[in-house]
Amino acid sequence: MFRRSWRHAAAAAAVLLALGSVTACGDDSSDSEDLSENRAGAMENYAVGTQFKATEPLSFSVLYNNHPNYPLKEDWLFWTELKSRTNVSLEKVAVPLSDYNQKRSLLIGAGDAPLLIPKTYPPDVHAYVSSGAILPVSDYLDLMPNFKDKIEKWNLKPEIDTLRQQDGKFYLLPGLHEKPWHEYSLAVRTDILEELNLQVPKTWDEVYTMLKAMKAAYPDVYPFSDRFSQPNPAGNLLNMLAASYGLAGAGWNFQHVSWNDQAQQFEYTGATEQYKQMLQYLNKLVSEKLLDPESFTQTDDLARQKLANSKSFVISSNAQTLVNDYRPDLAATNPKAKITKIPLPIGPAGEINPASRLENGMMISSKARDSKNFVAMMQFVDWLWYADEGQEFAKWGVEGTTFVKDAGGKKTLAPDVDMVGLNPGAPKHLQKDFGFGNGVFAYGGKPELVQAFFSPEEQEFQQVMNARAPKSPPPPYPLNDEEREQVSLWETPLKDHVYQATLQFVLGQRDFAEWDAYVAELKSKNMDAYLELVNEAHKRYQEKN
């Protein structure tokens, strides 16, 4: 499954410092609440570096995202080892991946949601805040020393602040990454580069130069024919370019507003000068027949066929598609072909890593607060999802069974266990047969953990990207319920018009001399009112904090 972009989250003194920094923005520490009736099963001295183990057997319900690549098995080692280490069993409410969001909404709306609701992306939370169905987790961070410790050590407070609602609280425990993890870029036929004596392009301008050279040598070919155009036109290509032009997101990650640091206000993404320049760049590629115009609408299979048959040489990629799609496709049609994923080309925004350091995460049902085991549950969540030891367990499994260590402490998969083709032909699979490396439980952490199963090639890609400056998160603009309802009425017509005009400008169906007319059309669809509301919400947040 492709990860999109929204796409990856000590000593007692550090914990105290984290508490001060994290709870400063309107959080109510649970020290002010009476939790004496909610500590059954909890550890008295739980802290960073402590193995959580409930003082009595406990069971917590969890909404389980059942992935078709590794369907749920009740006999997985993950469940038995988790119970052995933590004295906790999980009651799974299993939901197919394809129905997860819809089923989650139905369960929450009916008041039947499990206590733990993982695999939730930040924008999804907004719909549940006003109902009171989910817990304002920021009120209880003092129960989660590992979560607080990582926010402090990794300076994640600016990112965390983007999760805050109008009341100053946040309702999602996100996955935390020490370093941003950027996945998508361009895959390029390096044998064609060698044939034409070209270097790997480092900028989008150099990408243009490379495509021109390819076109000159192969005039009957569109050098660049892209995929990931569903459900939004050129979903990944536009999103990559948006980041390179300093915008919040486009394509499959379209963000209505982008922060203008110089003007100190939000602007409407689809009406900015950067967005116009981005479309002009793409229009240049299309008009010079360097970019296949079908890239904006074609299926992934068709794009793959063109690459496999040497009808194109460049395509969007992540690590999985490079290894699982393009190389096998080319091996079947052109065994001498070579293809690699290049570092994200640099654009006007400079050498930045556009990936977020937050990932999807955990909502907790507000019903959990009344449980006698509430404190123990928060400690359990903190250990499994945020402690180094818990994260290692969820990712790697059990030493001697699923992984081994060398004399220097370096972990590798056990010889009879495979994961992403690292031990091809091994009879067992880390996810399918043991339940580890499961996306419900294993995400976030230090780069060495996140990249544990990356190929050396992908690790080199990540090193290049991590050497770049992280993209600064935008300032928060929490909306109240009335404002959120209002913008939801504006967003779809605005986004649909941006998508329509984007295709028209890029494909040459509309002249850029009509840009001002296009912006006026957005204004007629309440763009200015949208911006006024967002900027007022930002000012209100600033005044409170």
Side-chain angles (χ1 to χ4, degrees):
M1 178 181 177
F2 301 129
R3 169 182 173 269
R4 298 186 180 182
S5 284
W6 220 108
R7 255 206 43 167
H8 322 336
V15 172
L16 290 172
L17 183 59
L19 176 60
S21 66
V22 172
T23 62
C25 289
D27 297 338
D28 299 318
S29 168
S30 59
D31 287 341
S32 63
E33 298 187 36
D34 182 9
L35 291 170
S36 58
E37 301 298 318
N38 308 94
R39 294 185 176 275
M43 295 179 64
E44 286 298 322
N45 298 306
Y46 176 65
V48 173
T50 302
Q51 166 67 54
F52 168 77
K53 188 162 190 177
T55 59
E56 61 184 70
L58 299 177
S59 180
F60 303 125
S61 57
V62 60
L63 190 63
Y64 182 83
N65 190 342
N66 198 3
H67 202 292
N69 289 353
Y70 43 96
L72 171 65
K73 294 180 181 178
E74 290 293 344
D75 63 350
W76 275 341
L77 178 61
F78 177 85
W79 309 122
T80 54
E81 187 67 20
L82 181 68
K83 184 175 181 179
S84 174
R85 296 190 187 199
T86 66
N87 213 10
V88 170
S89 300
L90 291 176
E91 304 167 21
K92 283 83 67 181
V93 179
V95 178
L97 170 67
S98 58
D99 297 329
Y100 189 78
N101 288 358
Q102 181 180 12
K103 183 67 172 178
R104 180 183 61 202
S105 296
L106 291 173
L107 288 170
I108 294 175
D112 297 329
L115 297 180
L116 304 179
I117 311 170
K119 296 302 289 183
T120 299
Y121 287 84
D124 299 339
V125 177
H126 301 325
Y128 309 119
V129 171
S130 61
S131 68
I134 58 173
L135 194 72
V137 288
S138 56
D139 285 352
Y140 303 98
L141 297 187
D142 60 322
L143 304 178
M144 304 186 69
N146 288 287
F147 181 85
K148 291 192 303 181
D149 182 55
K150 282 181 167 52
I151 292 171
E152 172 62 22
K153 285 196 306 188
W154 297 347
N155 191 29
L156 282 163
K157 184 177 179 297
E159 285 92 335
I160 290 292
D161 283 347
T162 65
L163 302 178
R164 296 186 185 276
Q165 300 292 324
Q166 199 270 338
D167 59 6
K169 305 175 188 289
F170 58 90
Y171 293 72
L172 179 76
L173 293 169
L176 305 178
H177 288 261
E178 181 179 8
K179 299 284 188 181
W181 168 29
H182 183 77
E183 238 186 326
Y184 288 88
S185 187
L186 299 178
V188 177
R189 283 274 302 271
T190 50
D191 59 308
I192 301 296
L193 295 185
E194 292 169 4
E195 174 191 329
L196 302 178
N197 197 26
L198 299 172
Q199 299 296 313
V200 170
K202 295 182 178 180
T203 68
W204 286 105
D205 286 342
E206 291 178 6
V207 168
Y208 168 75
T209 302
M210 172 192 73
L211 296 175
K212 287 277 285 185
M214 289 176 169
K215 184 69 175 179
Y218 294 90
D220 296 331
V221 166
Y222 281 111
F224 187 3
S225 187
D226 211 15
R227 67 183 294 181
F228 303 136
S229 60
Q230 308 295 329
N232 303 323
N236 181 57
L237 176 57
L238 282 168
N239 193 47
M240 290 192 299
L241 278 164
S244 300
Y245 278 78
L247 298 171
W252 64 17
N253 183 38
F254 180 74
Q255 302 293 316
H256 286 272
V257 294
S258 294
W259 177 249
N260 184 324
D261 195 53
Q262 186 173 0
Q264 286 292 292
Q265 65 180 8
F266 286 96
E267 298 177 329
Y268 194 76
T269 300
T272 59
E273 179 64 23
Q274 298 101 303
Y275 198 86
K276 177 183 178 182
Q277 292 173 3
M278 177 179 77
L279 300 191
Q280 288 173 325
Y281 175 83
L282 289 172
N283 173 257
K284 179 170 67 171
L285 298 188
V286 170
S287 63
E288 297 184 22
K289 302 188 184 307
L290 307 179
L291 173 61
D292 183 356
E294 293 185 355
S295 296
F296 296 86
T297 53
Q298 70 186 351
T299 65
D300 285 4
D301 285 346
L302 182 56
R304 286 176 60 183
Q305 289 173 20
K306 291 176 180 178
L307 181 75
N309 295 320
S310 294
K311 299 298 184 182
S312 70
F313 306 131
V314 180
I315 192 170
S316 282
S317 182
N318 64 11
Q320 296 177 54
T321 55
L322 179 71
V323 174
N324 296 335
D325 294 352
Y326 309 147
R327 285 180 176 158
D329 289 350
L330 285 166
T333 59
N334 187 355
K336 294 183 179 180
K338 295 185 293 184
I339 190 168
T340 193
K341 186 176 74 163
I342 68 172
L344 181 68
I346 299 164
E351 293 191 51
I352 59 167
N353 187 331
S356 171
R357 294 195 293 160
L358 302 185
E359 199 170 343
N360 70 81
M362 173 84 69
M363 293 191 300
I364 295 177
S365 170
S366 56
K367 295 182 297 185
R369 174 61 183 80
D370 298 325
S371 167
K372 66 179 182 178
N373 305 125
F374 174 64
V375 172
M377 188 193 75
M378 296 300 284
Q379 291 176 346
F380 168 75
V381 169
D382 181 67
W383 182 81
L384 181 56
W385 277 274
Y386 299 103
D388 290 348
E389 300 83 1
Q391 290 180 330
E392 178 182 298
F393 163 73
K395 185 94 170 186
W396 281 97
V398 179
E399 185 174 3
T401 301
T402 59
F403 74 94
V404 294
K405 288 183 180 179
D406 63 17
K410 182 180 179 181
K411 292 184 286 293
T412 55
L413 288 171
D416 62 343
V417 178
D418 185 32
M419 177 71 173
V420 295
L422 291 176
N423 283 336
K428 301 173 186 175
H429 192 276
L430 186 67
Q431 294 171 311
K432 298 176 183 178
D433 297 310
F434 296 99
F436 298 105
N438 186 326
V440 175
F441 306 106
Y443 51 84
K446 300 174 181 177
E448 55 266 32
L449 181 71
V450 174
Q451 300 174 22
F453 305 134
F454 287 1
S455 67
E457 179 182 21
E458 179 64 14
Q459 290 184 17
E460 184 177 340
F461 173 89
Q462 293 298 331
Q463 288 175 1
V464 173
M465 294 304 301
N466 283 334
R468 300 180 182 181
K471 183 181 179 181
S472 299
Y477 56 95
L479 305 178
N480 61 35
D481 294 340
E482 183 180 350
E483 291 166 338
R484 193 175 297 112
E485 183 177 354
Q486 180 60 73
V487 301
S488 69
L489 298 175
W490 293 335
E491 285 182 337
T492 298
L494 281 167
K495 181 169 67 173
D496 288 349
H497 195 67
V498 169
Y499 284 157
Q500 179 186 41
T502 294
L503 278 177
Q504 291 172 338
F505 283 121
V506 169
L507 299 178
Q509 298 166 355
R510 191 167 186 180
D511 194 277
F512 283 95
E514 296 184 36
W515 183 261
D516 290 344
Y518 154 68
V519 173
E521 292 158 8
L522 292 176
K523 290 176 183 287
S524 73
K525 298 180 184 300
N526 299 296
M527 180 187 78
D528 287 343
Y530 188 107
L531 281 175
E532 182 179 0
L533 192 151
V534 166
N535 281 309
E536 284 299 319
H538 166 59
K539 290 177 184 176
R540 182 175 64 214
Y541 177 85
Q542 278 188 312
E543 291 167 358
K544 284 185 177 180
N545 299 283

